Amino acid sequence: DRNGQISIPKVGVLNVAGLSYKELKEFLKKEFSKYFKGFEMNVSLGKLRTIQVYVVGNAKKPGLYTISSLSTLVNALFLCGGPSKIGSMRDIQLKREGKTIVHFDMYDFLLKGDNRKDVRLMTEDIIYIPPIGPLVAIVGNVKRPAIYEVKDKIKISELIDMAGGITPTGYLQRVQVERVFKNEVKIILDID
């Protein structure tokens, strides 16, 4: 049906949303073989229904988006260009019927490949991108020097991991940390 489900007597309701055409045929063949022997099968796709979702807050292109009913949170984030320069990547919120149902961390998805919180969207969902949180910059002999958003306090070793690790010429016996407090006081530490 237009929600990505197949209802078959004796087999039941199968959710096939998100499968490629090739995966769909293999999945159906596997499920049908539990109940039927010596069968042939043909698979065709009809038109999917569309849904409308709102992307609000600090997105590059906030607005109302009409997307496939099989779309997920990540699909919508890529469609709107993701967070703006002042938008958080660590606490993207999916709101449904006045309740926040998911707090999505893009770092988990982009740096670790963790898509467990990439949920399927429903019509009238609201994707809220709050302002960016605390920032930490890392430069020098790391593979991905950049400015990173952090959730809580972070260890230097965790920041180095976030930055892809040390390059072969990196020297860990002298790591320099600069801290700025309230835009007034700067403290420089040398750490081994």
Side-chain angles (χ1 to χ4, degrees), residues 132-148:
I132 198 166
L135 300 173
V136 176
I138 184 167
V139 296
N141 292 311
V142 291
K143 293 178 182 167
R144 283 190 306 265
I147 299 172
Y148 292 93

Side-chain angles (χ1 to χ4, degrees), residues 120-164:
R120 205 163 114 200
L121 298 173
M122 300 177 106
T123 196
E124 300 295 315
D125 277 354
I126 298 170
I127 300 166
Y128 171 66
I129 302 176
I132 198 166
L135 300 173
V136 176
I138 184 167
V139 296
N141 292 311
V142 291
K143 293 178 182 167
R144 283 190 306 265
I147 299 172
Y148 292 93
E149 181 182 4
V150 294
K151 289 181 177 178
D152 301 310
K153 290 184 179 183
I154 186 170
K155 294 179 182 176
I156 292 174
S157 60
E158 294 171 326
L159 182 60
I160 290 170
D161 287 344
M162 226 184 238

Side-chain angles (χ1 to χ4, degrees), residues 35-101:
Y35 302 95
F36 304 105
K37 301 280 185 229
F39 64 91
E40 289 191 30
M41 174 181 65
N42 187 21
V43 178
S44 63
L45 298 174
K47 186 174 181 176
L48 296 173
R49 78 178 169 89
T50 58
I51 60 172
Q52 291 187 321
V53 296
Y54 297 92
V55 180
V56 297
N58 297 284
K60 280 190 181 168
K61 295 182 283 183
L64 176 65
Y65 287 88
T66 301
I67 57 177
S68 158
S69 63
L70 303 181
S71 295
T72 65
L73 180 57
V74 169
N75 298 135
L77 288 170
F78 280 117
L79 191 62
C80 77
S84 67
K85 287 183 180 180
I86 60 167
S88 175
M89 293 184 77
R90 305 301 305 264
D91 187 30
I92 297 168
Q93 299 165 24
L94 176 61
K95 298 175 183 275
R96 184 173 292 152
E97 297 175 359
K99 296 178 183 166
T100 302
I101 61 164

